[in-house]
Amino acid sequence: MSAQQGPQPSEQTYKSLYDTQGFVVIPDLIPPAQFPELFAAAERATARTREGAWPHRRTVGRQFPPFDESGTPDVWGVQHIMHPALGERAFAEWYTSDALLRTACELMGCGKKELQMELFNMLVNPERADFALRWHRDDVREDATEDEEREALGKWHYGVQWNTALLEDSCLFVVPGSHAVPRTPEQRTHSSTLAAPKDPMDMPGAIRVVLKPGETAFYNSNILHCATYSSSAPRLTLHACIGCTRGGSTRARNILQHGLAWMEGDEFRDSLNDQGKEMLQRLLNMKKGTGNLGYALSN
Ligand SMILES: O=C(O)CCC(=O)C(=O)O
Ligand SMILES: [Fe+2]
């Protein structure tokens, strides 16, 4: 699926598509004046990560955290791009920008005063070999029973994840509607191993999400999804999520597994606008209330 043609749907339509499909594609959430700056920051951060100079990265061979922080392996993602040590202010500026936050509020049905800062990473193509992620839900294990799956999906409404393409991106596959219901026996068979599928389109109901530069796919991260990464197809995609405080600690394991101690320092807080500072404080409040919850999925 790619951008809607002709008149743009209203925010209300986006919300109803998001609620029923578990994802929706929305164009133009990067103000044109900000695009070149964001693109240049993304290229610099990627180059630094590929050189081994930025240790927070997703490494080929590992699908989920923890990732490898030593040596110079091939990478498929850059982690913590708002980190002050990376020195790229454009990322936090965009993460806290009005149009983006308004859209997140609309899709989650929550108020601005309830927004909780979460993760902001970037997904890039590996350079040395192709890689892929298996079919998964971000916070439900593949061996969950049908009842466990139903219970987990029933409380996963307090956050939204998004991919914003800076270059054309056709890596992501989703099963529309699967954010709301347990897998069918056939879908379970296709998603019960830790290995990536040979052909993602073998999954019943799968579609490929194709994004043009500037388009954003917002999705419920417990939708059944997978991804393929070709070393010959350049990818530069902003990958983020945000929560709503009404969810209490429901999102803690999924978010805190990425290691967010750096967000507690003054340097990061001082670099944010007022809205960003408030959103950060809500994340730190959630963190204070939880212990070590481990990792959501296995590698
Ligand atoms: O590459 C993508 O777009 C999806 C990544 C993903 O599913 C994940 O990190 O859990
Ligand atoms: Fe995922």
Side-chain angles (χ1 to χ4, degrees), residues 66-77:
F67 298 105
D68 185 356
E69 296 211 342
S70 66
T72 51
D74 203 3
V75 301
W76 62 277

Side-chain angles (χ1 to χ4, degrees), residues 18 58 82 94-96 100-101 104 108 115-122 138 156 158-164 216-221 238-244 251 254-258 260 263 279 283 286:
Y18 178 71
R58 298 184 177 206
M82 295 193 287
W94 183 65
Y95 185 94
T96 57
L100 183 63
L101 297 181
M108 289 192 288
L115 288 175
Q116 167 176 290
M117 180 175 281
E118 294 187 342
L119 307 171
F120 193 4
N121 300 315
M122 183 164 56
D138 279 7
W156 202 250
Y158 301 107
V160 61
Q161 184 153 302
W162 65 93
N163 282 11
T164 301
T216 300
F218 286 91
Y219 53 106
N220 175 323
S221 62
L238 304 172
H239 178 64
C241 61
I242 198 161
C244 169
R251 295 175 61 75
N254 196 253
I255 302 308
L256 302 178
Q257 66 177 335
H258 290 269
L260 299 180
M263 291 174 105
M279 285 165 35
L283 171 70
M286 176 178 81

